[in-house]
Amino acid sequence: MVATRETQVYRQDSRAQGKLLTPKEREALLKPYLPTPLKSSSPLKQPKKRHVRSFLKHQIRFLLYIIIHTVFSLYIRLRQAYHAVFNRVLAILYYHHRTPELIRKDVRGLSRLPEHLSVLLEIRVEEQGGAGLEVLVDEVAEISAWCACVGIPMLSIYEKTGILKGYIPTTHRTISSKLHSYFGRQRPSLQIQAPHMPSFLNGDVSEFPSSSPLGHLSILLLSFEDGRSTLVDLTKTLAEMSQRDKIEASDVSVDLIDAEISESVMGEPNLLVIFGPSVQMQGYPPWQLRLAEIFHVQDNTGVEYQVFLRALHNYAKSQMRFGR
């Protein structure tokens, strides 16, 4: 009955818009029905402890980060210094003096040499004006001269932007001048070509290489557009031919794709040398890398003869197991 009477009083006060009861009387009326408040001891101390604990954790993590970063930076510096000294010693010991006989002597004991050597170069965009292009062309000429001295008949040069394709006559003159400084008046014949472009042979546009008593050197210039985009175009062409019933789906095989890519771009190189500080393919044609031996010297920053020589020695020692 008490609850019923209190309910009636509360409703009457509500109808009268709160004029029958004072605020204190309303509180006394509702107090028996309110839950008992929870008692907490020292409510202000717990957040303070949590704040100090999180601060200490943050400082410890920051200290560990500094220690790891310092140790790793010290390791990188020591490794770069070691490689710089080691490479410089090798460059002095195996300097070729632009003498083909000395270069042949360095590779005389090797069991085999690559028939097709491929190198990955990068133009230095930080060079002012056309200095980056001049350095790139000079590097191409040096590598070409080394290949001619060793007896490698095929050299493919990959440069991502393809800037060399626009300077084929200039590149040919520079390489010819470099070969003249190595061999004298009698030097190997030279042919420069690029995919979907006519060959440039001894200063003339030709499709057939000329003969020379010192051999022949073919140079192929590659760029990013000769990589995955060529593979995509070939895939689209084969798909369209299959839809038009010109070929059967069963006719598309690895041998067919290999033959088409070898004809349109190039065959598979035996050895790929990366002259950069790390292994970055930069869009190099992926299909041609199936069986190629890849060589790179850690922390190397330029085209050096000792890197070229070490790549040939490494290739002679490698074994092609073909998945076995």
Side-chain angles (χ1 to χ4, degrees):
M1 297 297 293
V2 176
T4 303
R5 186 172 60 251
E6 292 174 349
T7 302
Q8 292 177 355
V9 173
Y10 180 79
R11 289 177 177 175
Q12 291 176 1
D13 180 68
S14 179
R15 293 192 193 98
Q17 298 181 353
K19 296 180 180 180
L20 297 178
L21 300 176
T22 62
K24 291 184 178 180
E25 291 176 343
R26 291 194 203 93
E27 292 179 2
L29 184 66
L30 297 175
K31 189 174 182 180
Y33 302 98
L34 296 177
T36 304
L38 297 176
K39 296 181 179 180
S40 60
S41 58
S42 63
L44 299 177
K45 292 183 179 180
Q46 191 69 16
K48 187 175 181 180
K49 290 182 179 179
R50 291 180 180 178
H51 178 71
V52 173
R53 189 178 303 171
S54 62
F55 175 76
L56 292 177
K57 287 182 179 180
H58 176 74
Q59 295 300 320
I60 292 174
R61 291 170 183 170
F62 183 73
L63 179 61
L64 290 176
Y65 169 78
I66 293 297
I67 293 175
I68 294 174
H69 187 75
T70 302
V71 172
F72 187 75
S73 299
L74 182 61
Y75 161 74
I76 293 295
R77 295 293 183 181
L78 291 176
R79 190 191 70 187
Q80 291 176 345
Y82 167 76
H83 286 156
V85 174
F86 183 73
N87 293 339
R88 183 51 53 190
V89 171
L90 290 180
I92 295 175
L93 293 178
Y94 291 97
Y95 186 65
H96 49 74
H97 299 280
R98 294 190 176 184
T99 306
E101 290 77 12
L102 291 179
I103 297 178
R104 296 192 192 101
K105 181 181 178 181
D106 291 336
V107 299
R108 187 172 299 166
L110 300 183
S111 59
R112 60 173 182 166
L113 290 172
E115 293 293 326
H116 180 181
L117 174 66
S118 185
V119 297
L120 194 152
L121 301 179
E122 186 176 0
I123 188 171
R124 302 176 185 177
V125 295
E126 67 274 5
E127 299 285 348
Q128 297 293 333
L133 178 60
E134 293 179 4
V135 172
L136 179 63
V137 173
D138 186 71
E139 291 175 346
V140 171
E142 285 287 350
I143 299 173
S144 302
W146 300 338
C147 290
C149 294
V150 171
I152 298 175
M154 181 66 184
L155 172 64
S156 58
I157 299 171
Y158 178 84
E159 194 279 321
K160 185 176 181 179
T161 64
I163 190 173
L164 290 174
K165 293 182 180 181
Y167 295 89
I168 291 181
T170 303
T171 305
H172 190 282
R173 286 194 300 269
T174 305
I175 297 176
S176 298
S177 176
K178 188 70 67 173
L179 292 176
H180 180 76
S181 65
Y182 275 75
F183 291 91
R185 296 182 61 182
Q186 236 183 0
R187 56 183 183 272
S189 58
L190 176 65
Q191 179 185 20
I192 299 182
Q193 55 187 337
H196 315 296
M197 297 178 66
S199 300
F200 199 84
L201 175 64
N202 294 334
D204 297 320
V205 177
S206 175
E207 295 293 338
F208 303 99
S210 62
S211 59
S212 172
L214 295 179
H216 176 76
L217 177 62
S218 296
I219 299 178
L220 179 63
L221 304 179
L222 301 172
S223 62
F224 181 79
E225 62 183 8
D226 302 317
R228 297 180 181 178
S229 58
T230 301
L231 192 59
V232 171
D233 293 339
L234 177 60
T235 304
K236 291 180 179 179
T237 302
L238 293 177
E240 292 176 357
M241 293 177 65
S242 178
Q243 291 176 354
R244 296 174 183 175
D245 296 329
K246 292 185 177 181
I247 60 172
E248 297 293 335
S250 58
D251 296 335
V252 180
S253 61
V254 175
D255 295 334
L256 175 62
I257 297 175
D258 185 65
E260 292 293 336
I261 292 182
S262 299
E263 183 179 356
S264 60
V265 182
M266 70 170 182
E268 297 181 10
N270 304 113
L271 174 63
L272 171 63
V273 182
I274 301 176
F275 285 97
S278 59
V279 179
Q280 296 181 1
M281 306 311 298
Q282 302 180 16
Y284 189 94
W287 185 266
Q288 285 80 352
L289 290 176
R290 296 182 305 157
L291 302 176
E293 183 76 18
I294 301 177
F295 181 82
H296 130 271
V297 174
Q298 197 174 36
D299 298 326
N300 180 66
T301 56
V303 175
E304 299 286 345
Y305 172 71
Q306 53 90 12
V307 177
F308 172 81
L309 186 60
R310 289 162 68 181
L312 296 183
H313 280 263
N314 183 80
Y315 174 77
K317 298 176 183 178
S318 63
Q319 297 180 358
M320 302 299 292
R321 298 182 181 274
F322 301 102
R324 294 191 296 269

